[in-house]
Amino acid sequence: MSKQTDHFYNKFSFLYPLVDVFLKPQKKVLFNEINRLPDGNLLEIGVGNGAHFQLYKKHKIVGIDTSAAMLEIARKKCCGNIKVFKMDGKSLLFYDEEFDYVVLSHVIAVVDNPEQLLEEVLRVLKPQGQVFILNHFSPITGLNMLIVHL
Ligand SMILES: C[S@@+](CC[C@H](N)C(=O)[O-])C[C@H]1O[C@@H](n2cnc3c(N)ncnc32)[C@H](O)[C@@H]1O
C-alpha cells in the first residue's frame, strides 16, 4: 500500500463505520453467497476494521491489512475461528495454495499495484479456489460484485 493510503486509513479508521452503512446491501449479497460454500480456509485481504467478522458463519478466517489503526479495531471483534495480521496483500506471508477462498472487498481500488495483489491472490489460492471481489462505485453500473471461479 502507498504511504498516502496507509496514512488515510490510519487517520480516518474511526469514520469507516459510516461508510459501511452505504455498502451494507451489497455486502449482504456477498455474504449470502459465501456462507453457502463448503467449509474451508478463507483469506480476507484489506479486512479493515473487521466489519465482516460477524457476517462469516462457518469458515476459518484469516484477515490481513496494512493499517495498524484499522487492525486495532478489528482485533477487538476477533473470536475463535478468526485471526488477523498486519501484512501487505502484495507480498503475502502464506504458502502457495493455502486458501480455498479469498475476499477482496473495496480493496482493489485503493491498492497502488492491483496486478501484484492479484498475482499473490492466485499464488495462495488452491486449485478450484474462488475469489470474491467487491469494488467501489462505477459510473455505469453502480456498486460492483465479481465472483471469480478458478
Ligand atoms: C475501503 S477499505 C475496505 C475495508 C473492508 N474490506 C470493507 O469492505 O469494508 C480498504 C482497506 O484496504 C486496506 N489496504 C489497502 N491496501 C492494502 C494492501 N496492499 N494490503 C492489505 N490491505 C490494504 C486499507 O488499509 C483499508 O483497511
Side-chain angles (χ1 to χ4, degrees), residues 1-2 5-6 8-10 13 16 19-20 23 26-27 30-31 44-52 64-68 70-71 85-92 103-113 117 134 136:
M1 144 184 275
S2 71
T5 316
D6 210 9
F8 176 84
Y9 284 105
N10 281 334
S13 58
Y16 201 76
V19 178
D20 211 40
L23 306 176
Q26 180 205 41
K27 289 185 175 181
L30 172 69
F31 284 93
E44 183 174 340
I45 298 178
V47 73
N49 64 8
H52 301 158
I64 66 127
D65 203 291
T66 44
S67 162
M70 293 292 251
L71 285 175
F85 302 102
K86 186 168 187 301
M87 199 184 294
D88 190 333
K90 303 193 306 301
S91 47
L92 293 169
V103 173
L104 301 165
S105 170
H106 301 286
V107 176
I108 290 277
V110 302
V111 172
D112 51 352
N113 188 339
L117 176 80
L134 282 189
H136 289 75

Side-chain angles (χ1 to χ4, degrees), residues 8-79:
F8 176 84
Y9 284 105
N10 281 334
K11 198 163 177 191
F12 295 109
S13 58
F14 69 100
L15 279 178
Y16 201 76
L18 290 178
V19 178
D20 211 40
V21 168
F22 297 99
L23 306 176
K24 273 219 162 84
Q26 180 205 41
K27 289 185 175 181
K28 197 172 165 209
V29 176
L30 172 69
F31 284 93
N32 281 343
E33 278 287 329
I34 289 174
N35 289 322
R36 276 204 287 263
L37 296 168
D39 288 350
N41 295 337
L42 184 150
L43 171 66
E44 183 174 340
I45 298 178
V47 73
N49 64 8
H52 301 158
F53 291 168
Q54 58 181 350
L55 303 173
Y56 288 115
K57 299 296 179 211
K58 56 194 284 197
H59 299 101
K60 199 171 151 202
I61 312 295
V62 176
I64 66 127
D65 203 291
T66 44
S67 162
M70 293 292 251
L71 285 175
E72 198 181 319
I73 303 170
R75 284 206 174 91
K76 291 181 185 143
K77 300 175 188 163
C78 268
C79 58

